[in-house]
Short mmCIF file of all heavy atoms in Angstrom, two decimals:
data_model
loop_
_atom_site.label_atom_id
_atom_site.label_comp_id
_atom_site.label_asym_id
_atom_site.label_seq_id
_atom_site.Cartn_x
_atom_site.Cartn_y
_atom_site.Cartn_z
N GLY A 1 15.56 -6.23 9.63
CA GLY A 1 15.14 -7.62 9.42
C GLY A 1 13.63 -7.76 9.46
O GLY A 1 13.05 -8.46 8.62
N VAL A 2 12.99 -7.09 10.40
CA VAL A 2 11.53 -7.17 10.51
C VAL A 2 10.87 -6.58 9.27
O VAL A 2 9.91 -7.15 8.74
CB VAL A 2 11.04 -6.45 11.79
CG1 VAL A 2 9.55 -6.24 11.78
CG2 VAL A 2 11.46 -7.24 13.02
N SER A 3 11.39 -5.46 8.76
CA SER A 3 10.79 -4.88 7.57
C SER A 3 10.99 -5.77 6.35
O SER A 3 10.12 -5.85 5.48
CB SER A 3 11.32 -3.46 7.31
OG SER A 3 12.69 -3.48 6.99
N ILE A 4 12.11 -6.49 6.30
CA ILE A 4 12.32 -7.45 5.21
C ILE A 4 11.31 -8.59 5.32
O ILE A 4 10.72 -9.03 4.33
CB ILE A 4 13.77 -7.97 5.21
CG1 ILE A 4 14.73 -6.84 4.82
CG2 ILE A 4 13.93 -9.16 4.27
CD1 ILE A 4 16.19 -7.17 5.03
N PHE A 5 11.09 -9.08 6.55
CA PHE A 5 10.11 -10.14 6.75
C PHE A 5 8.71 -9.68 6.37
O PHE A 5 7.92 -10.44 5.80
CB PHE A 5 10.13 -10.64 8.20
CG PHE A 5 11.40 -11.35 8.58
CD1 PHE A 5 11.95 -11.17 9.84
CD2 PHE A 5 12.05 -12.20 7.70
CE1 PHE A 5 13.12 -11.82 10.21
CE2 PHE A 5 13.22 -12.87 8.05
CZ PHE A 5 13.75 -12.67 9.31
N LEU A 6 8.37 -8.42 6.66
CA LEU A 6 7.05 -7.90 6.29
C LEU A 6 6.87 -7.90 4.78
O LEU A 6 5.78 -8.18 4.27
CB LEU A 6 6.86 -6.49 6.84
CG LEU A 6 6.59 -6.38 8.33
CD1 LEU A 6 6.54 -4.92 8.76
CD2 LEU A 6 5.31 -7.09 8.71
N ARG A 7 7.95 -7.59 4.05
CA ARG A 7 7.89 -7.62 2.59
C ARG A 7 7.60 -9.04 2.10
O ARG A 7 6.80 -9.24 1.17
CB ARG A 7 9.19 -7.09 2.01
CG ARG A 7 9.24 -7.04 0.51
CD ARG A 7 10.54 -6.41 0.04
NE ARG A 7 10.73 -6.56 -1.38
CZ ARG A 7 10.21 -5.77 -2.30
NH1 ARG A 7 9.46 -4.75 -1.93
NH2 ARG A 7 10.42 -5.97 -3.58
N VAL A 8 8.23 -10.02 2.72
CA VAL A 8 8.00 -11.41 2.33
C VAL A 8 6.55 -11.79 2.63
O VAL A 8 5.88 -12.44 1.80
CB VAL A 8 8.98 -12.36 3.06
CG1 VAL A 8 8.62 -13.81 2.83
CG2 VAL A 8 10.41 -12.09 2.62
N PHE A 9 6.03 -11.37 3.78
CA PHE A 9 4.64 -11.68 4.12
C PHE A 9 3.67 -11.00 3.15
O PHE A 9 2.64 -11.58 2.78
CB PHE A 9 4.32 -11.29 5.55
CG PHE A 9 5.04 -12.13 6.58
CD1 PHE A 9 5.59 -11.55 7.70
CD2 PHE A 9 5.16 -13.49 6.42
CE1 PHE A 9 6.25 -12.31 8.65
CE2 PHE A 9 5.81 -14.27 7.35
CZ PHE A 9 6.36 -13.68 8.47
N ALA A 10 3.98 -9.78 2.72
CA ALA A 10 3.14 -9.09 1.74
C ALA A 10 3.13 -9.86 0.42
O ALA A 10 2.08 -10.00 -0.22
CB ALA A 10 3.63 -7.66 1.53
N THR A 11 4.29 -10.37 0.02
CA THR A 11 4.37 -11.16 -1.21
C THR A 11 3.56 -12.45 -1.07
O THR A 11 2.87 -12.86 -2.02
CB THR A 11 5.84 -11.48 -1.55
OG1 THR A 11 6.58 -10.26 -1.63
CG2 THR A 11 5.94 -12.22 -2.86
N MET A 12 3.62 -13.07 0.09
CA MET A 12 2.81 -14.27 0.33
C MET A 12 1.33 -13.95 0.19
O MET A 12 0.57 -14.72 -0.40
CB MET A 12 3.10 -14.84 1.72
CG MET A 12 4.46 -15.47 1.85
SD MET A 12 4.91 -15.88 3.55
CE MET A 12 3.73 -17.15 3.93
N GLY A 13 0.93 -12.81 0.72
CA GLY A 13 -0.46 -12.39 0.60
C GLY A 13 -0.86 -12.15 -0.85
O GLY A 13 -1.97 -12.51 -1.27
N LEU A 14 0.04 -11.55 -1.62
CA LEU A 14 -0.26 -11.31 -3.03
C LEU A 14 -0.38 -12.62 -3.81
O LEU A 14 -1.27 -12.76 -4.66
CB LEU A 14 0.82 -10.43 -3.65
CG LEU A 14 0.76 -8.97 -3.22
CD1 LEU A 14 2.04 -8.24 -3.60
CD2 LEU A 14 -0.45 -8.27 -3.83
N LEU A 15 0.48 -13.58 -3.51
CA LEU A 15 0.35 -14.89 -4.16
C LEU A 15 -0.97 -15.55 -3.79
O LEU A 15 -1.63 -16.17 -4.63
CB LEU A 15 1.51 -15.80 -3.76
CG LEU A 15 2.77 -15.69 -4.59
CD1 LEU A 15 3.85 -16.62 -4.05
CD2 LEU A 15 2.52 -15.97 -6.04
N TRP A 16 -1.34 -15.43 -2.53
CA TRP A 16 -2.62 -16.00 -2.10
C TRP A 16 -3.78 -15.33 -2.82
O TRP A 16 -4.70 -16.01 -3.28
CB TRP A 16 -2.77 -15.84 -0.59
CG TRP A 16 -4.11 -16.26 -0.10
CD1 TRP A 16 -4.57 -17.53 0.05
CD2 TRP A 16 -5.19 -15.40 0.27
NE1 TRP A 16 -5.86 -17.51 0.51
CE2 TRP A 16 -6.27 -16.22 0.65
CE3 TRP A 16 -5.34 -14.02 0.33
CZ2 TRP A 16 -7.48 -15.69 1.08
CZ3 TRP A 16 -6.54 -13.50 0.76
CH2 TRP A 16 -7.60 -14.34 1.12
N LEU A 17 -3.73 -14.00 -2.95
CA LEU A 17 -4.80 -13.30 -3.66
C LEU A 17 -4.86 -13.73 -5.13
O LEU A 17 -5.94 -13.82 -5.71
CB LEU A 17 -4.60 -11.78 -3.58
CG LEU A 17 -4.90 -11.13 -2.24
CD1 LEU A 17 -4.49 -9.67 -2.26
CD2 LEU A 17 -6.38 -11.26 -1.92
N GLY A 18 -3.71 -13.99 -5.71
CA GLY A 18 -3.68 -14.41 -7.11
C GLY A 18 -4.20 -15.80 -7.33
O GLY A 18 -4.71 -16.12 -8.41
N THR A 19 -4.09 -16.65 -6.33
CA THR A 19 -4.54 -18.04 -6.49
C THR A 19 -5.86 -18.31 -5.79
O THR A 19 -6.39 -19.42 -5.91
CB THR A 19 -3.47 -19.01 -5.94
OG1 THR A 19 -3.22 -18.71 -4.57
CG2 THR A 19 -2.19 -18.92 -6.73
N ALA A 20 -6.41 -17.33 -5.10
CA ALA A 20 -7.68 -17.52 -4.39
C ALA A 20 -8.82 -17.66 -5.39
O ALA A 20 -8.74 -17.19 -6.53
CB ALA A 20 -7.94 -16.34 -3.45
N GLU A 21 -9.87 -18.29 -4.95
CA GLU A 21 -11.05 -18.47 -5.80
C GLU A 21 -11.62 -17.11 -6.19
O GLU A 21 -11.68 -16.19 -5.39
CB GLU A 21 -12.12 -19.27 -5.04
CG GLU A 21 -11.75 -20.71 -4.78
CD GLU A 21 -11.73 -21.53 -6.05
OE1 GLU A 21 -12.58 -21.31 -6.93
OE2 GLU A 21 -10.85 -22.39 -6.16
N ALA A 22 -12.03 -17.01 -7.44
CA ALA A 22 -12.66 -15.77 -7.90
C ALA A 22 -14.02 -15.62 -7.22
O ALA A 22 -14.76 -16.56 -7.08
CB ALA A 22 -12.82 -15.80 -9.41
N SER A 23 -14.29 -14.42 -6.80
CA SER A 23 -15.58 -14.17 -6.17
C SER A 23 -16.10 -12.83 -6.66
O SER A 23 -15.47 -12.14 -7.45
CB SER A 23 -15.44 -14.15 -4.65
OG SER A 23 -14.68 -13.03 -4.25
N ASP A 24 -17.26 -12.45 -6.15
CA ASP A 24 -17.81 -11.17 -6.56
C ASP A 24 -17.22 -10.01 -5.75
O ASP A 24 -17.65 -8.90 -5.87
CB ASP A 24 -19.34 -11.18 -6.47
CG ASP A 24 -19.86 -11.81 -5.19
OD1 ASP A 24 -19.06 -12.02 -4.25
OD2 ASP A 24 -21.05 -12.09 -5.15
N GLN A 25 -16.21 -10.27 -4.95
CA GLN A 25 -15.54 -9.23 -4.17
C GLN A 25 -14.22 -8.83 -4.82
O GLN A 25 -13.24 -8.60 -4.16
CB GLN A 25 -15.30 -9.73 -2.75
CG GLN A 25 -16.54 -10.21 -2.05
CD GLN A 25 -16.82 -9.38 -0.83
OE1 GLN A 25 -15.96 -8.72 -0.32
NE2 GLN A 25 -18.05 -9.42 -0.37
N VAL A 26 -14.20 -8.76 -6.14
CA VAL A 26 -12.99 -8.47 -6.89
C VAL A 26 -12.44 -7.09 -6.53
O VAL A 26 -11.23 -6.91 -6.40
CB VAL A 26 -13.25 -8.58 -8.41
CG1 VAL A 26 -12.04 -8.14 -9.21
CG2 VAL A 26 -13.63 -10.00 -8.76
N ALA A 27 -13.32 -6.11 -6.34
CA ALA A 27 -12.86 -4.76 -6.03
C ALA A 27 -12.10 -4.75 -4.70
O ALA A 27 -11.04 -4.13 -4.59
CB ALA A 27 -14.04 -3.79 -5.97
N GLY A 28 -12.63 -5.45 -3.69
CA GLY A 28 -11.93 -5.52 -2.40
C GLY A 28 -10.60 -6.23 -2.51
O GLY A 28 -9.62 -5.85 -1.88
N LYS A 29 -10.57 -7.24 -3.34
CA LYS A 29 -9.34 -7.99 -3.57
C LYS A 29 -8.29 -7.09 -4.22
O LYS A 29 -7.12 -7.11 -3.83
CB LYS A 29 -9.68 -9.18 -4.48
CG LYS A 29 -8.59 -10.17 -4.70
CD LYS A 29 -9.19 -11.36 -5.45
CE LYS A 29 -8.19 -12.14 -6.20
NZ LYS A 29 -8.76 -13.28 -6.89
N LEU A 30 -8.71 -6.27 -5.17
CA LEU A 30 -7.78 -5.36 -5.85
C LEU A 30 -7.29 -4.26 -4.92
O LEU A 30 -6.13 -3.85 -4.99
CB LEU A 30 -8.42 -4.77 -7.10
CG LEU A 30 -8.66 -5.74 -8.25
CD1 LEU A 30 -9.35 -5.05 -9.40
CD2 LEU A 30 -7.35 -6.37 -8.70
#
């Protein structure tokens, strides 16, 4: 269950990265 929850949190992070403001730290974001 915990590993499934971690997958959901990783997906939330990816959505956040996709909708975050573009900055000059693109390499770190990638």
